[in-house]
Amino acid sequence: MAQQAYVTETDGDGSGPERRGSRLRRLSHRVLSRWRGDPRIWRRGRVLAALALLLALVMLLHSRIPNRIGNLGSLTETFLPWLGLAVPVLLVLGVLRRSAPALIAVLLPAIVWLNLFGGLLTDKTGSGGDLMVATHNVNADNPDPAATAQDVASSGADVLALEELPASAVPVYEKALGTTYPHHAVVGTVGLWSKYPMAGVHAVDIKLGWQRAMRASVDTPEGPVAVYVAHMPSVRVKMEAGFTARQRDKSADALGEAIADETLRRVVLLGDLNGTMNDRSLNAVTSQLRSTQGAAGSGFGFSWPASFPMARIDQIMVKGVEPESSWTLPRTDSDHLPVAARVKVDTSS
């Protein structure tokens, strides 16, 4: 009588979930065993631990870093969010070094960074708002100003501010934006285009000797809004002088005084401030106004340089109106990204 042979199939290739899980367990067990059996884990990595503590102190006490030497404090504050990239680097080095002190110490800068910037990682954008505003440093050397104007106009902004307008290109922008924005004014190298009537247009003296800031009252359907457009002086990072920003700081103080003297309750500031909200040198401005990105944006909203944004130096700040959403617009031929926001002008309800 023939005998039947019964063959039982087995997972011989080791690719099943259980086999993979067992491999991970064995690997983690092997790693933990090496750590538990190594009496030097508490003696290694003291330099890494010290670096982690230093990083935490720099982020925690950034406002105490003096500006007397090359404006080092402002330079640190401009790129402060990027210091967080050192945290995973220190973490990996601590693991490779098998150092318990380093791994414990790296928790401190991680906690400090999350305390400073964790709120920006959440999406706070809303769907409301009765006024959309936008601002763009169009770059004086822009090769195609007409296309740039059309790009930012297509965003749907009700009020649009442009900075770094060369006199030769102003007619191009006026022609490209004239259909969408029947009301506009240009003061020096900054301009404001609006779908609503404007009044009280005048230059704002920011102590430069030439005009790079203006103010206008925009008559929105929900009431008048004082709109400021400003282009702060550029800053430079020089080997021999550090972060040279003295003129920018002087202009920021002058702009802050003008905003403080504003008679209208609702204020919107649009422009390239050549500084971030963390930069203490802009306190004369930032202490009076709210950043729309910080209040109603998603992420950091970096705007410069356009090829690889590393800082948000193009700002939309408000007082007396409620930010609903804030974002960056698609890249144009400028070296800055345009930024936009929707705000609620009528805050009575």
Side-chain angles (χ1 to χ4, degrees), residues 258-281:
I259 293 172
D261 293 338
E262 176 57 54
T263 56
L264 289 181
R265 180 176 64 87
R266 304 183 183 103
V267 178
V268 173
L269 170 61
L270 306 168
D272 173 8
L273 301 191
N274 269 308
T276 69
M277 294 297 294
N278 300 114
D279 190 338
R280 85 210 45 190
S281 296

Side-chain angles (χ1 to χ4, degrees), residues 223-239:
V225 177
V227 179
Y228 286 78
V229 184
H231 182 195
M232 293 292 101
S234 299
V235 297
R236 298 287 186 269
V237 181
K238 300 179 180 179
M239 293 298 294

Side-chain angles (χ1 to χ4, degrees), residues 35-259:
W35 281 66
R36 285 197 297 264
D38 187 351
R40 294 181 298 170
I41 61 170
W42 293 100
R43 297 197 295 269
R44 280 195 299 260
R46 293 178 181 177
V47 173
L48 288 176
L51 289 174
L53 293 175
L54 178 62
L55 177 63
L57 287 174
V58 169
M59 290 191 291
L60 186 64
L61 303 176
H62 63 86
S63 62
R64 303 291 183 88
I65 300 174
N67 260 344
R68 290 189 299 272
I69 303 174
N71 278 309
L72 184 60
S74 289
L75 177 60
T76 302
E77 289 165 339
T78 297
F79 299 102
L80 193 61
W82 291 94
L83 294 183
L85 291 179
V87 173
V89 173
L90 290 171
L91 177 63
V92 171
L93 291 176
V95 171
L96 294 176
R97 192 77 176 91
R98 298 213 303 274
S99 168
L103 293 180
I104 294 172
V106 81
L107 291 175
L108 294 177
I111 291 170
V112 172
W113 191 92
L114 287 172
N115 181 61
L116 289 172
F117 303 110
L120 294 175
L121 301 180
T122 59
D123 187 350
K124 300 180 290 295
T125 58
S127 57
D130 44 39
L131 181 72
M132 179 179 170
V133 296
T135 181
H136 188 27
N137 179 327
V138 295
N139 188 356
D141 297 322
N142 193 310
D144 194 348
T148 295
Q150 291 167 3
D151 287 342
V152 290
S154 66
S155 68
D158 301 303
V159 176
L160 171 65
L162 300 182
E163 303 87 47
E164 208 168 294
L165 292 170
S168 60
V170 168
V172 179
Y173 286 103
E174 289 176 330
K175 180 179 179 180
L177 297 171
T179 302
T180 305
Y181 301 99
H183 310 280
H184 88 280
V186 175
V187 175
T189 60
V190 298
L192 186 65
W193 278 259
S194 173
K195 294 179 180 179
Y196 307 118
M198 299 192 306
V201 177
H202 63 78
V204 175
D205 183 11
I206 56 173
K207 312 302 180 184
L208 277 176
W210 67 96
Q211 296 174 333
R212 283 181 35 161
M214 63 177 289
R215 180 265 188 200
S217 173
V218 177
D219 188 17
T220 76
E222 289 73 29
V225 177
V227 179
Y228 286 78
V229 184
H231 182 195
M232 293 292 101
S234 299
V235 297
R236 298 287 186 269
V237 181
K238 300 179 180 179
M239 293 298 294
E240 72 279 6
F243 192 62
T244 57
R246 186 174 293 112
Q247 185 57 61
R248 189 279 312 267
D249 300 347
K250 182 180 177 181
S251 293
D253 291 342
L255 178 61
E257 290 178 9
I259 293 172

